[in-house]
Amino acid sequence: MFSAGAPVAATRTSPFAVLPMGLKTALHRRFESGADRLDGPIMTRYFTDLAAGHDVGYSPDLVATARGNTFLTLAGELLHGQVNEPIDLVVVAHDGPDFDPRLSAPVNLTAVLPGGPMTYSVSGQGPLAGFLALRVAAGYVRRKPMRRVLILIMEQRGMPYAGVRPPADAAAALLFETGAGSTRVALLPGIDPADARSEADRLAPADRYGPGLTGGPVAEGRSVTALWAAPPAVLADYDPMRGTLGMCAFAGENEPSAPL
């Protein structure tokens, strides 16, 4: 059994948590419309109850016609033939819910990935889901020595109720390994939209800014995974709904860290 306490707080001198692993492999892929289906009275009842509890527009007719890719499908196709070494920890991050709530990507990944890794699923930070996953991973690695950590960031648009949707089904995979460098990540709440870009630049001028910091379309057509495709040394993005700034800095084994 693995036991963990409260997350380790960032220090007073730095808001960054450290994952003592470097980025070994980065994958990103967009998918065509999937073939997974949701039809059936059980799912009609489920989505009816879910939508009513969260005041979300819902049409029962959509359940019978919805097609999409589950997180299981996205992860399986993205990782096929890519992971051969044992993994210690997997964190699945997503903005919206899975297409089919009856399936669990984390449970499946524990069974199929080498090493039988611990797996977790995180959400609740909107477009900053990837930053949250890295923050969680950094906390676990501080408590238990690990060699490899896999971060999976998922998004899909085939949901049978109204809401903001990404432009396409997509997935990103980030494989971290000890001896390959280090990674630092921060999630900073309470940042005013007018100060977000200047605060990001004060901490570390980024090589890539997300739409929340460039004035791009933050909600409609927002992609959670695109920011992590072939990531540069420093990434930054901002979620105005939560007033939270996310930053991440990668350093190779023999590379100097970004001045944070």
Side-chain angles (χ1 to χ4, degrees), residues 120-183:
Y120 297 90
S121 181
V122 298
S123 60
Q125 286 293 325
L128 303 182
F131 297 92
L132 174 62
L134 279 167
R135 183 67 182 83
V136 170
Y140 273 98
V141 174
R142 287 191 58 154
R143 291 177 171 83
K144 179 179 174 63
M146 297 182 181
R147 177 152 182 81
R148 294 180 187 85
V149 168
L150 178 65
I151 305 295
L152 288 168
I153 308 166
M154 309 283 198
E155 59 186 344
Q156 38 80 3
R157 57 177 292 110
M159 303 303 296
Y161 47 78
V164 176
R165 301 170 188 269
D169 292 3
L174 307 173
L175 178 61
F176 296 86
E177 188 173 297
T178 56
S182 64
T183 305

Side-chain angles (χ1 to χ4, degrees), residues 155-235:
E155 59 186 344
Q156 38 80 3
R157 57 177 292 110
M159 303 303 296
Y161 47 78
V164 176
R165 301 170 188 269
D169 292 3
L174 307 173
L175 178 61
F176 296 86
E177 188 173 297
T178 56
S182 64
T183 305
R184 286 177 286 179
V185 61
L187 281 170
L188 308 175
I191 304 295
D192 188 89
D195 302 327
R197 180 63 180 263
S198 60
E199 180 66 10
D201 290 339
R202 183 186 71 81
L203 292 169
D207 301 293
R208 181 184 298 164
Y209 296 95
L213 293 170
T214 61
V218 176
E220 190 63 32
R222 175 67 183 269
S223 172
V224 177
T225 67
L227 186 71
W228 303 94
V234 181
L235 299 174

Side-chain angles (χ1 to χ4, degrees), residues 21-23 179-183 233 249-257:
M21 298 180 175
L23 181 60
S182 64
T183 305
F250 304 97
E253 184 176 8
N254 298 314
E255 298 174 357
S257 300

Side-chain angles (χ1 to χ4, degrees), residues 2-228:
F2 183 84
S3 177
V8 177
T11 66
R12 291 180 180 272
T13 57
S14 174
F16 287 85
V18 178
L19 175 64
M21 298 180 175
L23 181 60
K24 192 73 174 179
T25 303
L27 306 171
H28 180 265
R29 179 177 168 185
R30 292 165 64 101
F31 293 79
E32 300 294 333
S33 298
D36 295 326
R37 303 180 61 173
L38 288 174
D39 52 334
I42 293 178
M43 297 310 298
T44 299
R45 173 65 181 274
Y46 172 84
F47 281 108
T48 300
D49 292 346
L50 181 67
H54 294 277
D55 193 26
V56 175
Y58 167 71
S59 172
D61 295 337
L62 290 176
V63 174
T65 59
R67 300 289 185 275
N69 293 297
T70 64
F71 291 165
L72 276 176
T73 299
L74 299 179
E77 295 192 19
L78 181 66
L79 297 177
H80 181 69
Q82 299 289 336
V83 180
N84 300 310
E85 302 288 344
I87 306 296
D88 298 295
L89 172 68
V90 179
V91 185
V92 179
H94 50 92
D95 182 6
D98 199 346
F99 175 75
D100 190 338
R102 297 169 294 183
L103 304 176
S104 172
V107 170
N108 178 265
L109 290 169
T110 295
V112 302
L113 286 176
M118 295 186 298
T119 57
Y120 297 90
S121 181
V122 298
S123 60
Q125 286 293 325
L128 303 182
F131 297 92
L132 174 62
L134 279 167
R135 183 67 182 83
V136 170
Y140 273 98
V141 174
R142 287 191 58 154
R143 291 177 171 83
K144 179 179 174 63
M146 297 182 181
R147 177 152 182 81
R148 294 180 187 85
V149 168
L150 178 65
I151 305 295
L152 288 168
I153 308 166
M154 309 283 198
E155 59 186 344
Q156 38 80 3
R157 57 177 292 110
M159 303 303 296
Y161 47 78
V164 176
R165 301 170 188 269
D169 292 3
L174 307 173
L175 178 61
F176 296 86
E177 188 173 297
T178 56
S182 64
T183 305
R184 286 177 286 179
V185 61
L187 281 170
L188 308 175
I191 304 295
D192 188 89
D195 302 327
R197 180 63 180 263
S198 60
E199 180 66 10
D201 290 339
R202 183 186 71 81
L203 292 169
D207 301 293
R208 181 184 298 164
Y209 296 95
L213 293 170
T214 61
V218 176
E220 190 63 32
R222 175 67 183 269
S223 172
V224 177
T225 67
L227 186 71
W228 303 94

